[in-house]
Amino acid sequence: MELILWRHAEAEPGEPDAARALTPKGQRHAARMGAWLDRKLPPACRILVSPATRCIQTVEALGRRYEVVEALNTGSSAEAIIAACGWPEHRQPALIVGHQPLLGQVASMALCGNKQDWRIRKAGVFWIEHKEADGVPYIRLVAGPDVIGKLR
């Protein structure tokens, strides 16, 4: 299984938290990362997104169908996100669009088995792969929107 964690792009400050929209910079970064991901994601990738406005705006830059999942919201847990995507048992790749510190915790749990506060930059991607043959997950890619244009 492939687990792709995509942190939402930069959002405006304000309340309520769930309604915060992307800044113009956030829109540009989401568009850059979304265009790159659209070329790189496996065709059958499930796309799961937090219901927060900034996450929905981020995933819409991808231009693919997605499912809004409450378990990915800011008040959730890394354990709930892992359960929602079925890591690592589910064979179909999953792209998760969500929040910090949850996505960093998901990455550490997927790779190390314990929850740590790893940081994923705004609009950044943390791509993990787990092949059944060896049973050991590994990091396929970690990149932010500033370097993604350099990757082909």
Side-chain angles (χ1 to χ4, degrees), residues 8-152:
H8 67 77
E10 181 181 271
E12 298 171 344
E15 292 294 327
D17 182 55
R20 293 173 44 219
L22 294 182
T23 64
K25 177 182 175 181
Q27 292 169 0
R28 288 190 308 275
H29 284 178
R32 183 180 304 148
M33 189 63 79
W36 184 84
L37 280 169
D38 189 44
R39 293 189 309 271
K40 302 297 183 184
L41 286 176
C45 189
R46 296 172 298 138
I47 301 170
L48 310 176
V49 62
S50 162
T53 300
R54 59 195 179 273
C55 291
I56 297 209
Q57 289 177 325
T58 297
V59 79
E60 285 178 346
L62 181 61
R64 292 191 186 191
R65 292 178 54 200
Y66 59 87
E67 178 184 351
V68 175
V69 178
E70 185 63 36
L72 278 57
N73 213 338
T74 57
S76 188
S77 68
E79 294 85 356
I81 293 171
I82 287 174
C85 70
W87 173 266
E89 295 82 19
H90 202 292
R91 292 181 183 264
Q92 192 175 8
L95 170 66
I96 306 296
V97 183
H99 310 273
Q100 273 299 103
L102 293 171
L103 291 182
Q105 293 170 357
V106 168
S108 71
M109 287 179 70
L111 286 164
C112 302
N114 58 14
K115 189 169 23 176
Q116 300 174 32
D117 287 328
W118 292 0
R119 184 169 179 243
I120 298 174
R121 292 183 54 205
K122 291 177 183 163
V125 168
F126 198 117
W127 195 317
I128 303 166
E129 191 160 349
H130 184 272
K131 296 200 186 271
E132 289 183 38
D134 60 18
V136 179
Y138 63 91
I139 299 169
R140 183 170 175 184
L141 171 89
V142 177
D146 54 333
V147 297
I148 208 68
K150 299 173 186 173
L151 301 175
R152 297 280 174 225

